[in-house]
Amino acid sequence: MTQGTEAQQETPWIKRFDLDIWVRSFCAFVVAGVAAYASYIHQREFALQGGADRVSASLWPMSVDGLLLLATVGLLKPAGARTRRARGAVWSAFFLGTGVSLAANIAAAPALEWQPVLVAGWPPVALMLSVELLVHRPADRKVEETEVEQESGSDQHGDDPLLAQARLIDARHRDRYQRPASAETLRKELRVGADRSRRLAAQVRGSRVEGEGADELRRRGETHG
């Protein structure tokens, strides 16, 4: 069995089991569970002190922390997928949920001293950060895997998947400005990273030089013929 075949067989197993993701997710779930429980107890006590009945006091913390969790998840989504009004609503919900949760937890502290306030105010902060870690880390890993797959695919086939679009942009740029498109132009037009735009610019120029060389050889052949 060759090394290439062994690598292909090991890759799916590595994708299925990533120890780093499992450890981070487990720790984040533990922190989120403890913080959610502590925040729930403090807010329930606050609601009882505010005159709510037992059923309402038991449900009230879910509305506060639930809103905070939804807003946190919404903030982690790509900004381009939301309108300005949606972004404003998410940020408003985030600040409102954080403020109410902190205020309720601190108000439930037995005394307004730094130790009781810290103990009561920490759960909503820990809950918010743990949810961000849970949602954000897999997204980062997915983006990294997608970039690696795109780069490996372009290496195997010898061309970048965006090379055809880069050539069209370069041709249009030459017709308009009588000079080749720069890497910065390709980066803005194709919305890619700086490294990838430089590779595309080099590939476009290389393919153009090869094409001009082939045209020159063809003209020479027609002349001699």
Side-chain angles (χ1 to χ4, degrees):
M1 183 178 294
T2 62
Q3 295 181 354
T5 304
E6 293 177 353
Q8 291 177 357
Q9 291 179 350
E10 290 176 359
T11 300
W13 183 87
I14 294 174
K15 288 183 178 181
R16 286 196 302 268
F17 180 78
D18 192 318
L19 183 60
D20 178 68
I21 291 180
W22 281 100
V23 171
R24 290 177 182 273
S25 299
F26 175 76
C27 294
F29 272 118
V30 171
V31 173
V34 174
Y37 175 78
S39 180
Y40 176 85
I41 295 300
H42 291 153
Q43 292 188 59
R44 183 176 181 275
E45 182 65 25
F46 172 77
L48 288 173
Q49 294 175 3
D53 58 75
R54 292 187 176 275
V55 176
S56 300
S58 299
L59 297 176
W60 190 79
M62 298 180 185
S63 65
V64 178
D65 285 341
L67 177 65
L68 179 59
L69 295 182
L70 286 175
T72 303
V73 174
L75 290 175
L76 297 176
K77 293 182 178 181
R82 303 190 304 268
T83 62
R84 181 178 299 179
R85 180 178 179 181
R87 290 195 298 270
V90 171
W91 277 108
S92 299
F94 175 79
F95 287 121
L96 180 62
T98 302
V100 173
S101 183
L102 278 172
N105 278 268
I106 292 175
L112 292 179
E113 299 177 358
W114 72 271
Q115 288 179 328
V117 169
L118 179 61
V119 171
W122 172 247
V125 177
L127 180 61
M128 178 186 64
L129 295 177
S130 60
V131 171
E132 181 175 350
L133 290 174
L134 279 173
V135 179
H136 189 62
R137 289 299 301 181
D140 286 346
R141 182 59 57 89
K142 185 176 181 180
V143 171
E144 291 175 359
E145 290 179 354
T146 302
E147 292 178 352
V148 170
E149 289 176 358
Q150 290 178 348
E151 292 180 358
S152 61
S154 62
D155 292 339
Q156 292 175 0
H157 295 88
D159 286 337
D160 192 289
L162 295 177
L163 182 57
Q165 298 182 35
R167 287 171 176 166
L168 292 176
I169 295 173
D170 180 73
R172 185 173 67 245
H173 199 274
R174 286 175 180 271
D175 292 340
R176 184 176 299 176
Y177 303 106
Q178 288 74 49
R179 63 176 182 271
S182 63
E184 180 65 17
T185 300
L186 295 179
R187 186 188 69 80
K188 293 179 180 179
E189 291 283 342
L190 298 174
R191 297 181 180 180
V192 296
D195 292 339
R196 193 172 185 186
S197 65
R198 285 194 291 268
R199 289 197 300 269
L200 284 168
Q203 289 177 337
V204 169
R205 291 167 187 168
S207 61
R208 190 172 186 86
V209 170
E210 291 177 0
E212 292 176 351
D215 292 340
E216 181 65 22
L217 291 175
R218 186 163 48 252
R219 284 194 298 268
R220 289 182 182 179
E222 292 174 356
T223 302
H224 290 320

